[in-house]
Amino acid sequence: MATPKRNLSPTLWMVLFGLLMMLSVSLFSAGDEVVAIPYSQFQTYLDAGKVKQVVVNGETIRGTLNEPLPGGKTGFSTIAVPRELAGALSKQNVEYSATPSSGTFGTLLGWIVPPLLFVGVWMFMSRGSGGGMAGGLFSIGRSKAKLVSAETNIKVDFDDVAGVDEAKAELHEIVDFLKRPDEYGRLGAHIPRGILLVGPPGTGKTLLARAVAGESGVPFFSTNGAEFVEMFVGVGASRVRDLFEKARGSAPCIIFIDELDALGRARGASPMGGQDEKEQTLNQLLAEMDGFDRSVAIVVLAATNRPEILDPALLRAGRFDRQVLVDRPDKIGRVQILAIHLKKLTLSPDVKMEDIAALTPGFTGADLANLANEAAVLATRRGGDAIGMADFTGAVERIVAGLEKKSRILIPRERRIVAYHEMGHALVSLAIPGSDPIQKVSIIPRGIGALGYTMQRPTDDRFLMGKHELENKMAVLMGGRAAETLLGDDISTGASDDLAKATDIARGMVLRFGMDDGLGPVAWDTEQGQFLGQPGAFWQPRRFSDQTAHEIDQAVRARLAAALARAITILTANRAALDTGAALLLERESLGAEDMPAVTMSV
Ligand code: ADP
Ligand code: MG
Ligand code: ZN
């Protein structure tokens, strides 16, 4: 007995069915020991008494003769001609025969056309989803990952990627591992299975993945999350299986899945159909990532610009548990990227990369590559023999207009506000002893919504937080708004996220942690309202009086106001540091801990 193949997919069934039908058609029409003869000849044989036996089916007559026909066969078939006509024709010694009225041809057509149509439509559909004509038919379950042999095809290395030094540093380890997997295995060390490159479009994620392959000289299997999303249930999953099977065959190697979000969207997130298929595909990916042996040197790199919509299961240990941020470059980064893209161009001596970088805050690597090309186009069009600074400024203006529409670029006034805002957070944090140290302050827009950011590194994992710590945190959160207040003109919407976070802390202190003296050590609110982490699943009645509700509101407001006042006091005392810090930030766009101006401590 044949063992049934694992997961015989519906498409495979369709192929079998189609083949069966075609086979039956060919059997049916197969001429065995029969020769087609004209009806007149049949009449002659009949008159000569040579016909042994006949089978009549409508107008078709099949039979055998007593003696073989010229070809050596005794079987014959012919089609009857109406009797009177036949008589008349015989008299004149005319050779006559007939063709079937609806005929075997029609019957054949009836048999062949439907399966052909069926196969045709199906091929069309599979082609629509990316496969070639011939490839689409029999390799619908195959992954479309192209095997690019690194030795011959990938010429990209880390020198071709600039402005993302942190990401490069993290990926160096992967390159080392892929070059010498045995050495790592010797001490039992293993390398992360999956690394997720996170960042806005055009920052060089795909480029980095290729550079890792180029640097380590291993095969690079590149695919796109969208290619796994198919109409037929099971196809995506079998593509994933296929991809990993191929990769296992050529380890050490890299699998690169671009736009992972197309495939790894949180389950149940899309209200439309296709859920089963996506879920199967995602499950297959998870299974493959868990499944392979630690010692097999396969690294799965994936890229996304929307990590927040990924299924949490994808980010768990052993899967894409390491995330590498590929951010928009700062000014120095942009100079380095320009150096790469201007290398091949003929530049006039007035072109200064520092000046171009200063003109292009918020540009990604792809924007800069585009800029270099635009400038070259402008110079060519005006008939110049080198690309001048004016060409670059012209190109910048053009591109900026497009980017401003997509609101990816800040106008100068906004940049100043953002610089003060972020510096405000940083300085308040520096002035309060025991705050988490500042790691980086930046006014490069990150993701959606945030115009700048201040990154603090928590000194250690915390389970308990003291009252003072919470108050300090609130003051740091208010630092942005406080700095804007000091700037004098106006206050902006930029603080909305900070305010929301600070309000959460204040409400927690008052309602849950019993930290407000006025309201006493009472848990006015508990977190029972959450069912399995889903807010709003249970409705919970308020458990305090209107009077208390009023007091709670006042207490929360007072805490927030106190935090803001404290931040303002700190910044006022450090006004000079705020101004120099903001100016430096405007100039360099991102500052590390070592660039921070000195502040006077506050208690
Ligand atoms: P992503 O995958 O993040 O959307 P890509 O890697 O496809 O971005 O980048 C597109 C192009 O932009 C690259 O081929 C390269 O020419 C240019 N580019 C992007 N980022 C960089 C960078 N950091 N350094 C040099 N060139 C870059
Ligand atoms: Mg890409
Ligand atoms: Zn802020």
Side-chain angles (χ1 to χ4, degrees):
M1 209 186 88
T3 38
K5 199 172 182 267
R6 189 166 53 127
N7 273 350
L8 207 54
S9 69
T11 45
L12 197 53
W13 280 117
M14 287 199 276
V15 173
L16 287 180
F17 182 63
L19 283 179
L20 209 69
M21 281 184 89
M22 292 206 274
L23 196 70
S24 68
V25 168
S26 56
L27 273 181
F28 180 72
S29 60
D32 28 15
E33 300 291 281
V34 173
V35 180
I37 56 173
Y39 192 61
S40 54
Q41 200 181 341
F42 168 69
Q43 282 291 348
T44 320
Y45 288 140
L46 188 61
D47 292 344
K50 288 182 183 166
V51 178
K52 188 174 167 192
Q53 160 260 346
V54 293
V55 177
V56 182
N57 175 14
E59 42 195 8
T60 310
I61 299 165
R62 285 164 172 265
T64 42
L65 300 173
N66 287 328
E67 58 189 58
L69 283 160
K73 291 170 182 168
T74 54
F76 70 89
S77 79
T78 188
I79 291 162
V81 172
R83 194 190 303 165
E84 292 98 281
L85 186 58
L89 290 167
S90 320
K91 270 185 210 146
Q92 299 302 319
N93 265 344
V94 178
E95 188 191 292
Y96 52 90
S97 60
T99 54
S101 48
S102 77
T104 31
F105 186 64
T107 334
L108 270 181
L109 225 62
W111 272 99
I112 290 173
V113 168
L116 272 184
L117 254 173
F118 175 74
V119 168
V121 165
W122 174 45
M123 273 165 90
F124 175 75
M125 289 196 306
S126 60
R127 196 161 61 128
S129 58
M133 262 302 253
L137 178 53
F138 291 110
S139 66
I140 193 163
R142 300 257 140 173
S143 160
K144 277 171 267 179
K146 298 167 275 247
L147 173 54
V148 186
S149 140
E151 289 76 20
T152 55
N153 283 337
I154 299 195
K155 299 253 162 55
V156 180
D157 59 27
F158 278 154
D159 290 340
D160 297 314
V161 196
V164 284
D165 296 337
E166 287 129 358
K168 275 205 266 185
E170 294 225 29
L171 292 171
H172 258 301
E173 189 193 0
I174 306 295
V175 171
D176 269 356
F177 167 68
L178 286 170
K179 273 185 178 161
R180 296 180 308 255
D182 303 335
E183 205 166 304
Y184 272 77
R186 190 174 57 89
L187 294 179
H190 48 235
I191 216 72
R193 262 293 151 249
I195 294 159
L196 189 60
L197 303 171
V198 179
T203 46
K205 299 181 293 298
T206 308
L207 192 65
L208 263 173
R210 294 178 59 78
V212 172
E215 287 275 339
S216 40
V218 298
F220 183 65
F221 293 87
S222 155
T223 183
N224 191 302
E227 289 186 7
F228 292 112
V229 181
E230 286 293 336
M231 210 179 312
F232 299 116
V233 174
V235 173
S238 85
R239 277 194 188 140
V240 171
R241 196 161 47 233
D242 216 77
L243 170 66
F244 278 81
E245 226 160 70
K246 266 203 227 160
R248 255 184 297 253
S250 41
C253 68
I254 291 174
I255 295 177
F256 177 57
I257 306 175
D258 209 352
E259 290 167 44
L260 183 67
D261 43 282
L263 156 70
R265 197 179 271 274
R267 279 171 275 199
S270 145
M272 305 295 279
Q275 256 344 91
D276 274 0
E277 159 64 1
K278 269 198 192 154
E279 213 156 295
Q280 271 203 20
T281 311
L282 180 56
N283 285 339
Q284 187 65 41
L285 178 65
L286 296 178
E288 293 287 351
M289 291 201 68
D290 287 345
F292 52 66
D293 185 350
R294 278 290 190 184
S295 58
V296 178
I298 299 179
V299 172
V300 187
L301 294 177
T304 181
N305 52 6
R306 296 149 83 197
E308 69 284 351
I309 68 163
L310 288 183
D311 196 301
L314 266 174
L315 308 177
R316 240 168 255 152
R319 295 160 182 172
F320 292 103
D321 50 3
R322 180 144 349 152
Q323 301 197 11
V324 172
L325 188 67
V326 187
D327 219 344
R328 290 205 177 90
D330 59 10
K331 195 166 156 191
I332 295 170
R334 289 199 300 275
V335 172
Q336 292 162 353
I337 294 174
L338 281 168
I340 293 172
H341 291 286
L342 299 187
K343 213 163 35 191
K344 289 152 272 171
L345 304 180
T346 316
L347 302 175
S348 77
D350 69 327
V351 174
K352 297 255 180 324
M353 286 194 259
E354 282 74 17
D355 296 349
I356 303 173
L359 287 173
T360 51
F363 275 44
T364 62
D367 294 332
L368 292 170
N370 184 18
L371 172 74
N373 189 53
E374 282 277 331
V377 168
L378 285 181
T380 315
R381 212 179 286 157
R382 70 173 167 81
D385 43 28
I387 308 166
M389 196 59 196
D391 299 315
F392 280 100
T393 46
V396 167
E397 272 163 30
R398 267 203 208 180
I399 294 175
V400 162
L403 296 180
E404 259 174 10
K405 263 194 216 119
K406 292 186 216 152
S407 70
R408 272 174 43 193
I409 285 207
L410 298 173
I411 62 172
R413 206 182 75 82
E414 287 172 336
R415 289 183 81 224
R416 190 167 124 90
I417 295 175
V418 174
Y420 269 83
H421 178 110
E422 297 304 333
M423 216 42 183
H425 286 305
L427 295 190
V428 171
S429 165
L430 285 174
I432 297 176
S435 301
D436 292 335
I438 293 292
Q439 212 184 342
K440 188 176 173 188
V441 185
S442 163
I443 56 168
I444 300 164
R446 161 184 283 186
I448 310 150
L451 298 176
Y453 57 91
T454 304
M455 219 150 69
Q456 281 178 295
R457 195 206 301 271
T459 19
D460 41 25
D461 282 344
R462 300 300 302 270
F463 297 105
L464 287 177
M465 300 264 287
K467 183 179 167 190
H468 288 298
E469 264 177 302
L470 291 173
E471 281 167 349
N472 291 349
K473 244 183 159 34
M474 283 170 62
V476 173
L477 283 167
M478 286 296 186
R481 169 56 63 85
E484 289 183 40
T485 318
L486 290 193
L487 200 51
D489 320 340
D490 197 2
I491 49 178
S492 79
T493 53
S496 65
D497 193 47
D498 302 331
L499 293 182
K501 281 186 193 149
T503 307
D504 269 353
I505 297 177
R507 286 187 67 82
M509 291 174 77
V510 174
L511 285 167
R512 290 200 296 277
F513 312 137
M515 285 179 179
D516 190 86
D517 295 337
L519 281 147
V522 181
W524 298 104
D525 188 19
T526 55
E527 275 173 297
Q528 273 173 10
Q530 299 205 340
F531 173 66
L532 296 179
Q534 283 176 320
F538 285 162
W539 179 78
Q540 204 194 7
R542 203 176 71 186
R543 300 193 298 176
F544 39 79
S545 66
D546 286 353
Q547 166 74 21
T548 311
H550 184 66
E551 282 170 31
I552 288 171
D553 289 341
Q554 280 185 321
V556 169
R557 191 184 307 152
R559 294 202 156 267
L560 290 166
L564 179 61
R566 187 169 167 215
I568 291 178
T569 312
I570 292 172
L571 291 181
T572 311
N574 288 288
R575 180 63 203 245
L578 180 64
D579 291 333
T580 47
L584 195 63
L585 190 54
L586 272 173
E587 190 199 316
R588 293 212 217 143
E589 294 171 23
S590 73
L591 298 178
E594 65 285 358
D595 305 315
M596 289 295 150
V599 291
T600 49
M601 282 299 189
S602 139
V603 216

